[in-house]
Structure formats: structure tokens, C-alpha cells
Amino acid sequence: MFTLSFLVGSLEIKSQDIYPSYLSIADGLVSPSVNDVMQDSYGLLWIATVNGLQKYDGYRFETFKNSPGKSTSLQSNEVWDVVEDEDQNLWVATALGVSKYNRKTNEFTNYLFSTIFNMAVNGGRVFRLFIDSQNDLWAAAQNLELLHYDRTSDQWIRAPYLISGNTITDHIGFSIAIAEDSKGSLWLGSTIYGLMQRPKGELAFKPIDSSQIGGFDFTTNDNRITSIFADATHTLWITTRNGVYKFNPENGSFKIIKEYTEFQEARMDINNHFNGILQDPEGNVWISNNFRGILKFDGISDQFKELAIAGKLIMRGLGWSTTLSDFTIDRSGIFWFGTRESGLMKYDPVNKPFSALVHDPANPNSLSPNGVYGILASKVNPDVIYVGTRGAGVTIFDTKKQTFNKVTYKVVDDRFGGSVRSIAENSDGSLWLGTWGDGMIQLDKNFSEIRRFKNEPGNAGSISYNQVRLIKPDDQGRLWIGTDNGLNIFSPETGNFQRITSMETRVYPDQLIKEIEQLATTTNSIGKIDQVTDDQKRSIPIEIKATGRYYIMSVGEGDLGSNADFGWIANSAKDTIWKFPPFEDSYYAGGALKNRMVIAPIALEQGTYTLYYKTDDSHSYGLWNTPKPDKTSFYGIVLVRPADKNQENTIETQLKQINDEIIISGSSISDIEIGEKYVWVGTRGNGLNRFDPMGNSVTYYTHHPDSLNSLSNNTISDILLDSKGMIWLATDDGINILNPITGEIKTYSEADGLPTNLILSIEEGNAGEMWIATQSGLSQMVTNETLGKVTFINYNATDGLGGDSFVPLTSTKSADGHFYFGGDHGLTTFKSITANNVPPALIITNLLISNKSVLEMGAESPLENSLLNTNEITLSHDQNNLSFEFAALHFASPEKNQYAHKLVGYDKDWIYDNRNFA
């Protein structure tokens, strides 16, 4: 306990200002210790590590290491720096000197400083390379301090120093900092001479007299210069082991910006002496200040913030738990920091648009636990979002105050202990709550219960079921209520519910069933197979003595997929002339929903026929494994004739009445969308219904495997009527868009870029885009009207979502344009997405001829230069099987970059296969 207390007490708590991600060994990095990172003129990242040099295109790493005995390999795996000159040559600083990379041959020319300068092998370690505005290359090295590369003679020479009037070239100091100002002066940090300058046009570096910098001494051990940067005002920004300073050689001003007295234990560690200074696209100066973290200045002023790194800690005497080295800002504005122990740290300053509202056990005013179950943006109070929870009633979210207040009710039968699945609001601010077991509850505007509506067995005017998934008000003051067992229309004035029958639950009148049962027990029974048990196939011959109208009643078992227990009739030629219909054309026989029955007229001519009945291996007469049929005790098939014409007319009248009844396709109601003319009702497993209240009719939309113009799936989780009048459906197999005028249905799926086909809810965006919640994150659907191309931009928890899986019917858009999507994690909210609009650099990374890479052909390669520098090649007639690999060098979210390709003169249109291979 004592040790734990000590460790906790040693941490300094700071607000978390940046939220980086990391590339590590698991991603392909060869070492967690990164000394430098650079983006070349093509857009590729080059990473200097202690275990080799790596090239990164956003998808994969290519590693360069020393191969013993191979003189053209990288001379040392300990790499400190990498730069590119204006001829696109790469120069690499290593522990043994400098290596020059030849892009065409994929080989290195090595300059071994121990041999060149006749010194110990480890004496020529190069820490920094610098290319000035004249394309001259400089190397800051150990025991050699500063070297210059003479391109004419291909030699490295010591830079001349002018010391006390004498020119010397035998300096043996230690340097890791060199820079150039806008006037062309070069500046060097020397361990022996301190700050040095080589004015433009001169040859030698001269020390800056300490009197010019307020008597400050950069030659002491604590004040060794670690980095130099010159801003547009010619002011030098200088970091040392001890602090941050500014020096303006124009007016001689010198400022101490920040000096550190803490972190004494880490101060002299050799690895803590490397850092970087850069200006971002907005003009702010950033310093990666090794173990001291990150400083961000307000422009080039003296005002700065010490930024905290999310997930990292400050340890007493040791600084941050990760040590930063040099960094770069790529073309798209993304920061890449080298670290000593955490690999490559990536920070995208484009603000994460998503916020997660979650339950905090330590905060009683946070969102309730167990996830979001329903949601409604208040129209009466635009600053309020009502959140239905699974087991904790309603939470009222004040968007201005960012506070949550809980509203509960008396729980009697709710499955989760107080779950609100749906919420509707009256104009006075009072609410209707749909619960998952306690029916529908009405609250006044103070959120006190007024009355409760539950299913009353035997009362057809009560709500059909106590699990209420949806409550949607129409413009006539009625409530359309979707339950797990039926659709209801509720009149608040009368308190009565009108139940809309579904194909699953429609029943024959009891009187009609009784009439057929009675006929089956008399001489009016032509033939009967009854009380059929498991695994039976029974048949009986029958004879029709008089041509006329007869009636069949059959009771069996079936579902949407197929019939399990069923009967049929065949004629003397063994042709089936009637059979038990599919599930959607049958009637409910009571008990389990799969108990089905049918009563149907049939015209038969005089002759012989056969009645058949077949059962599967379970759930048949007397062997029920689910609730048995309770509308009739009959189980099988019977053929009867009416006793007389009057009875025939009675039966026909009853059949006509039920055929004229309004019926929707399913009883498990998944969503309701109320438009100006139609009410759209979605179901789980039974497709979509277009309900016309004025015409008293229903149009069905279902999935048909043999039709491209049908629903992709019969399970619908959400319905959205958009601003253009189109109907959007979230299904278990993608997005369906229905044009209610033409009836055309368009489908989008994983093949089009969705992260999964399991779609849960849809919201219309603020700028024509659509937002889709799925079981695998959130997707933004953007349509390019010019190309007629739809693109999906997919987001997941790594982008700031509270979770990757959402819950149906838990999305809404508030009056101020904020979106809310709910799930087990809580609420994910955002208003707008600030995209990184910098276009990617597109490069061809490989060319294959008959599946062999031109990079591996050696002398047979048609390349005369590096692939990146090749604009055209000439091939023989039989070199006609070509493959290209390419990469969009944009590193914000490279895994989300999307591709299309087109072979000009061959492909009529772009091929949107989203592969970086053609």
C-alpha cells in the first residue's frame, strides 16, 4: 500500500490536450526508438530508427538494414536522421557516417567516417544532416562537429571555423543542431564554441560573442544547444539541455523563454538531448522538447502552452513517460513525432468531431448505465434530449448545461427493471413512454405518471402487447404504436386502441371455425385426416359424387421459410390441385405463431381424389414443444361440403369480410414513419408496409431473391423519409432507398463501401450527406452528383466514437444540428465533420510485367530511372500483361483512402473496386 501511494504521489496531473495514435512494432515498425521522421518530395515518410531505416506509404513499411558483407547495403542500422536534396537523393545519418540512397538501384553509397578521417570506428556518428538553400549538404557529427559535402569531388570535409582571426578545420567537438535563416546565414550549435554563424557569402563559421547574447554561455554542459530554428523575423529559437531561448541577431535581443529546474534525474541522459522545432501551417511554433513533452507557441510570440499527451504521465524527476525526439509536419498537416520508447507518434490536429456521453459511476448526474434504448429531441424545449435507457427510466439531457437528470416510474413487469424504448412528446411538454413490459405510460409536463395502458386479455380495445417499441404521433392527434406483437392506433381522447391485424396474427372468426368443425363430424365430411403425430405421411382416397363448391380446412405448422406440417389434395392423375399456402397467406391458429390454419373454397368435379397430410419430426399433435393451437382442436386436413345454400352463403360472407380487412405483413413492428399521405411501417422479418389511411389499403414491400427491385432483407431496423421524399430503410442486409412514386428500390451494401450490412439507423445530414449507424461503427454517405458516385466514409472507436455497435431507433438530430447515436456505450454526438481537404500525393509503387516486379528484374528491367522518376517506358510486344500497385499518400486515415482506376481507351467508366492494385 505504501509503494502504491508513493507512485501515485509522484505523478503530476495535466489536462490532456492532444490525443495521438501510435505506429509500433505490431504495425511493422522495426524499433520502438525513432530518432527522426521525414516526408520526401513524393509524399513518402522515411523513419530513422535505432534498428534500420524505413519507408512508409500509409499501408506498409519497407525496411533497409545493413547486410554484412554487402557494401551497397545501409552501412549501419543505427540511423539518426534522413534528408532529401533537390535532386531527390536521400542522405542518411548513421552511427558510422553517412549513406546515400540510390532510388533506381535500391542501393546505398556509404561514407565511412572512421576511414575517411582516420579515427575510431565509433567516432564518426552523425546525429544531424542539413541541406541549405544552395542544396549544400552538412553533417553534424560526434568528434567531428560539422562536416560539409563537396559534390564536385564527392568528398566530406571539415567545415572551416574562424576563431580569433584564425581559420581552423581540425575541430573535434560535438554538434546536433544546424539551421539557416531567411537571409541565408547558417547557424550552428557547437559544444566548444557555443552559437556560431556563417553569414551568406562567407566560408567560415564564427562564434557569437557572449556579449551579444546577454552574457549567456552556450558552451557549458547544461547549455549545450540541441536544436535551432529561424522564424520569418530572423529570430532564432534555441533549445538546450536546460531550456528554451530566443535570439534576434538583428537587434541583439536575447530572451530566456523557459528554463527547467525539475527533472534532474533525466536531464543528463544522452537520449534526452534531441528534439525538434517547427512552425505549423497556421504559423504556430512547436517544440518537441524530449523528456519535457511538447510546447506550442501562439504564433511566434513568447506565449506558449505545455501540451499534455493523452495516455502518458509525468513522473517526478524523470519527465514524461515517453521521450520525444525530432518531428515533422506532413503536407496534410499531420504531426509525426519520433519517440524513444513508444514508436512513431501521430497527431492529427484536425479536431476529432465526435464526443462520447457515457455513464460515470462517480458522477450521479451522468448518463444512466446499461446503454441507450430510445431517444427523442424535444421540440418544446430545443435544448433537451430525452434518452430512454435500458433499466433506468428516462434521462433528460440538457445540451446547454451538459447535465443529465433522471425520471423514473413504478416498475411492475418491465423486463429490464424500468426500460424506456420509445418516447413521444405533446405540445405542452408532457410525454408518452413505451416500456418493455409495462405497456405505455403517460407523464404530465412535470414527469409525473398520469395513467398507464397495458394489454387486457379479452379486451380488443386495449393495447395489443406490453412491449412497446414505437410511439409516433400523427397530425390528427393520434398515436401510432408499434409493439413486439402488433400495430395499434391510439386515440388519447377515447383511450381506445385500434389493433391493425397482421399476416402473422390474423384469425378466422370463431363462428366460421365452429361451422367447419361441425361439418367435419357429420356426413358432410368428404374426407378427414386428423390428430397427426410426428414423422407421418398419411393419405386417404375420397370420392366426389356431385360437382360443386367444397371447403378445405387444414391446420399445421409453418414459418416464413417453409411449412413443416401441412396437407394437400391431388386428383386421379396425381396432380396437386390444392396445397397448404405459404406462411404469409395462412391464418393464426392460436398458441405459438407457427401454428397456422387455412379455410379455403375449392370447386371440384365428380371423380376420385386423394387427401394427403405430412408432418416433420417435432411439434405435431399431442407432442407439442411450444404452445399448441387453441383456436381449434383439429390438426390435419378435412374436406367438407356445406349443408345447404344458406350455409354456403354464410361461409362465403365471413371469408369475404376477413379478406377485406386491412392487414400488415408482420406483427413485430420495428419502425413507423408518418408522411403526408402514407404511414410506413417496418417489421422484423416481414418487410415494409405502406399504409394508406385515406384509401384504407396496404402495399407490401418484401425481399424476393429472384428480383433486383425488391428489399434486400425483410428485417427493417429504421425508416427515414428524407427531405426529397425518398424512403430510406436500414435493413439486416444493407441500405434500401425506395422511390415511393416509381417503386424503384436501390440497395447499398458492403460491396459499395459500408463497414457491414447490419444497418441500425439513418439520419439525414446538414449538407446532403446521410449518417448511418451500423453494428460496425458510423458511416457517412456522400454522393457526388457530378460523377453519380456514392462514397462511404466509415468511423469507429479509434475516431472517437463511444463504441462501434449501435442500437436501432436511438438516433436523432437536435434543433441546433447536433446528431446523437445511441448504443450500449452511451451516446455518440457530433455536429459537423471537419475533413482534411489536402489532396493525397498519388504514386505508382510497383509495376509488374507478367507478375514479376520491374524492381526485381535487375538488368532486364525496362526502367532507366527509379520508378518514382519514370514517366514512360517502352515494352516489347509480348510484355503485355501489366499490373500496377499505387498508393494515395495521405496519412490522416490511410486505411480509409478509397481508390478507383481506369485504363484509358479500354474502360468506359472508372472502376470503383477500392483496391490500390490494377
Side-chain angles (χ1 to χ4, degrees):
M1 292 295 290
F2 171 81
T3 303
L4 178 62
S5 299
F6 174 80
L7 289 174
V8 173
S10 70
L11 305 179
E12 178 182 344
I13 305 300
K14 286 195 174 186
S15 61
Q16 295 181 346
D17 293 320
I18 69 169
Y19 295 81
S21 57
Y22 297 85
L23 292 176
S24 65
I25 290 176
D27 302 298
L29 202 64
V30 289
S31 171
S33 186
V34 176
N35 292 321
D36 181 57
V37 58
M38 181 271 290
Q39 187 174 37
D40 69 15
S41 56
Y42 301 100
L44 294 160
L45 289 183
W46 292 84
I47 302 144
T49 83
V50 299
N51 191 30
L53 174 69
Q54 291 192 278
K55 179 175 69 176
Y56 180 58
D57 62 7
Y59 306 93
R60 54 183 174 264
F61 291 90
E62 183 179 356
T63 304
F64 302 89
K65 287 190 175 186
N66 175 259
S67 297
K70 185 177 180 181
S71 62
T72 57
S73 67
L74 184 67
Q75 66 177 339
S76 171
N77 292 336
E78 184 184 314
V79 181
W80 285 91
D81 200 7
V82 57
V83 296
E84 182 185 35
D85 64 22
E86 65 182 20
D87 300 315
Q88 284 82 46
N89 296 310
L90 288 181
W91 298 84
V92 185
T94 79
L96 299 178
V98 174
S99 294
K100 178 185 177 182
Y101 175 59
N102 186 321
R103 293 183 191 262
K104 178 180 184 297
T105 63
N106 211 32
E107 295 178 335
F108 292 88
T109 301
N110 294 310
Y111 301 88
L112 184 63
F113 284 0
S114 61
T115 300
I116 294 172
F117 296 102
N118 191 25
M119 59 193 301
V121 173
N122 294 326
R125 179 178 279 106
V126 178
F127 295 111
R128 282 287 178 268
L129 293 172
F130 180 74
I131 296 176
D132 65 22
S133 59
Q134 305 305 308
N135 201 34
D136 281 333
L137 176 62
W138 304 84
Q142 184 179 3
N143 298 330
L144 295 167
E145 204 155 78
L146 185 65
L147 302 172
H148 176 246
Y149 176 66
D150 187 329
R151 294 179 185 274
T152 303
S153 63
D154 189 27
Q155 290 183 341
W156 287 90
I157 58 175
R158 286 182 168 94
Y161 290 1
L162 187 61
I163 308 298
S164 301
N166 297 315
T167 300
I168 64 171
T169 58
D170 59 351
H171 41 75
I172 57 172
F174 171 81
S175 176
I176 52 176
I178 183 170
E180 182 178 18
D181 65 25
S182 58
K183 291 188 174 183
S185 287
L186 295 179
W187 296 87
L188 175 70
S190 166
T191 55
I192 299 175
Y193 303 107
L195 183 64
M196 304 184 75
Q197 179 189 21
R198 193 194 82 161
K200 185 176 182 180
E202 298 186 15
L203 296 177
F205 286 81
K206 295 179 290 188
I208 298 297
D209 192 273
S210 63
S211 63
Q212 294 179 256
I213 50 178
F216 195 85
D217 187 357
F218 282 115
T219 65
T220 67
N221 199 34
D222 280 355
N223 292 327
R224 286 184 179 180
I225 297 174
T226 59
S227 191
I228 304 172
F229 170 77
D231 68 24
T233 67
H234 314 300
T235 297
L236 298 182
W237 298 64
I238 302 169
T239 58
T240 73
R241 292 180 175 185
N242 197 46
V244 181
Y245 310 87
K246 280 185 179 181
F247 171 53
N248 189 323
E250 301 265 317
N251 57 29
S253 67
F254 182 82
K255 297 178 183 177
I256 299 174
I257 303 300
K258 170 77 173 177
E259 287 190 330
Y260 296 87
T261 58
E262 67 271 43
F263 312 131
Q264 294 300 316
E265 293 179 50
R267 188 179 190 138
M268 302 309 293
D269 187 331
I270 187 65
N271 288 324
N272 288 335
H273 300 162
F274 301 90
N275 60 290
I277 311 172
L278 283 177
Q279 213 165 358
D280 69 18
E282 285 73 43
N284 305 305
V285 172
W286 294 65
I287 300 177
S288 59
N289 209 21
N290 48 68
F291 66 100
R292 302 181 186 103
I294 300 172
L295 305 182
K296 179 185 179 183
F297 285 79
D298 184 6
I300 56 174
S301 73
D302 299 338
Q303 305 300 313
F304 67 91
K305 292 187 295 184
E306 295 184 273
L307 301 183
I309 305 169
K312 302 298 180 181
L313 304 170
I314 293 182
M315 301 176 290
R316 182 176 298 163
L318 295 174
W320 282 94
S321 58
T322 190
T323 303
L324 306 177
S325 55
D326 205 353
F327 74 105
T328 193
I329 306 172
D330 72 20
R331 297 174 187 173
S332 60
I334 295 171
F335 288 66
W336 299 88
F337 294 89
T339 77
R340 296 294 171 208
E341 54 285 288
S342 302
L344 190 58
M345 187 173 90
K346 171 186 171 184
Y347 167 59
D348 188 347
V350 175
N351 290 329
K352 299 279 187 185
F354 304 106
S355 297
L357 304 174
V358 299
H359 173 66
D360 180 359
N363 181 6
N365 293 320
S366 67
L367 183 65
S368 298
N370 303 326
V372 175
Y373 215 32
I375 196 166
L376 178 73
S378 173
K379 292 183 178 180
V380 177
N381 187 347
D383 297 334
V384 164
I385 303 291
Y386 294 108
V387 182
T389 68
R390 186 185 282 119
V394 177
T395 297
I396 302 172
F397 176 50
D398 188 313
T399 61
K400 294 294 185 184
K401 298 177 182 178
Q402 293 288 296
T403 58
F404 294 88
N405 293 307
K406 297 175 177 60
V407 175
T408 58
Y409 60 87
K410 182 180 179 181
V411 178
V412 179
D413 297 314
D414 190 284
R415 177 174 295 182
F416 298 105
S419 300
V420 174
R421 191 71 170 88
S422 51
I423 309 166
E425 184 182 43
N426 293 318
S427 59
D428 63 353
S430 59
L431 300 179
W432 303 89
L433 307 181
T435 73
W436 213 237
D438 279 324
M440 183 173 71
I441 298 174
Q442 183 182 9
L443 304 181
D444 64 21
K445 59 183 179 181
N446 296 316
F447 312 120
S448 296
E449 182 174 333
I450 298 175
R451 52 182 174 169
R452 185 174 300 210
F453 303 88
K454 298 188 72 173
N455 175 259
E456 300 171 13
N459 180 5
S462 67
I463 194 168
S464 64
Y465 205 58
N466 290 328
Q467 292 181 4
V468 179
R469 184 178 280 118
L470 292 147
I471 305 174
K472 293 289 183 77
D474 64 17
D475 56 7
Q476 299 179 41
R478 300 176 301 181
L479 298 178
W480 291 70
I481 300 167
T483 78
D484 219 27
N485 188 24
L487 175 67
N488 304 256
I489 303 175
F490 175 67
S491 170
E493 292 183 359
T494 65
N496 287 329
F497 294 83
Q498 175 191 352
R499 299 182 187 178
I500 305 299
T501 303
S502 74
M503 290 179 179
E504 291 179 326
T505 58
R506 61 179 177 174
V507 295
Y508 289 109
D510 291 340
Q511 178 59 36
L512 176 60
I513 296 172
K514 287 179 180 179
E515 285 195 57
I516 301 297
E517 286 178 333
Q518 288 174 355
L519 288 172
T521 62
T522 67
T523 56
N524 293 88
S525 174
I526 308 302
K528 179 172 65 172
I529 303 173
D530 191 15
Q531 300 182 3
V532 189
T533 57
D534 291 349
D535 273 330
Q536 298 287 310
K537 183 178 181 182
R538 292 167 55 182
S539 63
I540 59 169
I542 56 175
E543 183 181 2
I544 301 298
K545 297 180 178 179
T547 299
R549 194 169 183 83
Y550 296 79
Y551 293 91
I552 300 169
M553 182 172 77
S554 185
V555 180
E557 176 191 7
D559 55 29
L560 281 172
S562 63
N563 292 323
D565 302 345
F566 58 94
W568 68 98
I569 299 176
N571 60 20
S572 58
K574 297 186 178 179
D575 297 324
T576 299
I577 60 173
W578 181 92
K579 66 178 179 179
F580 201 99
F583 181 93
E584 57 268 25
D585 294 326
S586 64
Y587 284 69
Y588 179 39
L593 274 177
K594 63 181 181 179
N595 295 327
R596 313 307 296 176
M597 70 183 303
V598 62
I599 299 173
I602 184 171
L604 295 175
E605 295 181 355
Q606 184 177 358
T608 58
Y609 299 84
T610 305
L611 278 183
Y612 292 93
Y613 196 88
K614 180 182 181 301
T615 59
D616 67 1
D617 59 358
S618 67
H619 189 74
S620 59
Y621 186 84
L623 300 171
W624 318 113
N625 55 20
T626 57
K628 67 178 182 178
D630 57 22
K631 290 290 181 183
T632 177
S633 60
F634 183 85
Y635 199 83
I637 184 171
V638 63
L639 178 68
V640 300
R641 66 170 180 264
D644 52 37
K645 194 64 177 177
N646 288 335
Q647 188 174 38
E648 180 181 330
N649 291 338
T650 299
I651 293 173
E652 289 294 327
T653 299
Q654 293 180 84
L655 288 175
K656 184 178 185 306
Q657 286 175 346
I658 59 175
N659 286 331
D660 290 342
E661 186 179 9
I662 293 297
I663 297 172
I664 60 172
S665 60
S667 60
S668 181
I669 309 302
S670 57
D671 196 17
I672 302 169
E673 183 79 348
I674 298 177
E676 290 185 6
K677 184 177 181 181
Y678 302 119
V679 176
W680 302 86
V681 180
T683 70
R684 301 203 63 78
N686 296 95
L688 176 70
N689 301 267
R690 190 188 71 185
F691 195 106
D692 182 356
M694 297 297 293
N696 204 34
S697 63
V698 178
T699 301
Y700 308 114
Y701 300 87
T702 56
H703 170 65
H704 298 286
D706 55 347
S707 172
L708 295 178
N709 194 51
S710 72
L711 299 187
S712 59
N713 192 280
N714 285 326
T715 292
I716 297 168
S717 293
D718 190 26
I719 307 172
L720 172 71
L721 175 62
D722 73 10
S723 56
K724 298 179 181 178
M726 303 297 282
I727 299 295
W728 293 69
L729 306 173
T731 82
D732 277 6
D733 198 13
I735 299 168
N736 294 178
I737 307 172
L738 167 65
N739 185 325
I741 297 176
T742 65
E744 179 185 2
I745 298 174
K746 194 165 188 178
T747 299
Y748 292 96
S749 66
E750 292 176 16
D752 302 294
L754 279 167
T756 176
N757 286 337
L758 292 168
I759 312 301
L760 302 173
S761 63
I762 305 173
E763 292 291 334
E764 187 170 9
N766 298 318
E769 81 279 15
M770 305 299 288
W771 289 96
I772 298 107
T774 77
Q775 280 198 351
S776 187
L778 196 61
S779 189
Q780 181 186 20
M781 179 178 177
V782 181
T783 303
N784 186 315
E785 299 292 350
T786 303
L787 293 176
K789 168 65 179 168
V790 167
T791 299
F792 292 94
I793 306 169
N794 302 319
Y795 302 92
N796 51 36
T798 60
D799 299 298
L801 302 185
D804 286 339
S805 182
F806 293 88
V807 172
L809 305 176
T810 59
S811 66
T812 191
K813 185 166 72 170
S814 63
D816 64 359
H818 273 85
F819 294 89
Y820 295 86
F821 289 88
D824 289 337
H825 63 274
L827 279 175
T828 291
T829 180
F830 63 96
K831 185 171 184 180
S832 61
I833 300 296
T834 304
N836 191 317
N837 293 315
V838 178
L842 186 66
I843 63 171
I844 294 177
T845 56
N846 202 355
L847 167 63
L848 297 93
I849 301 175
S850 297
N851 295 321
K852 186 174 182 180
S853 170
V854 295
L855 304 177
E856 300 172 354
M857 288 183 176
E860 297 179 358
S861 173
L863 297 182
E864 297 180 359
N865 208 326
S866 75
L867 183 59
L868 292 175
N869 290 329
T870 299
N871 293 320
E872 63 179 41
I873 58 172
T874 300
L875 302 173
S876 64
H877 72 278
D878 57 350
Q879 291 179 306
N880 54 20
N881 184 348
L882 304 180
S883 302
F884 296 87
E885 294 177 3
F886 36 88
L889 300 181
H890 197 297
F891 300 94
S893 293
E895 70 280 2
K896 297 177 183 175
N897 294 340
Q898 298 191 39
Y899 296 87
H901 70 265
K902 178 180 181 180
L903 180 59
V904 178
Y906 181 79
D907 295 321
K908 293 182 179 180
D909 299 309
W910 287 93
I911 298 172
Y912 293 93
D913 60 357
N914 202 24
R915 299 173 61 207
N916 54 340
F917 177 87

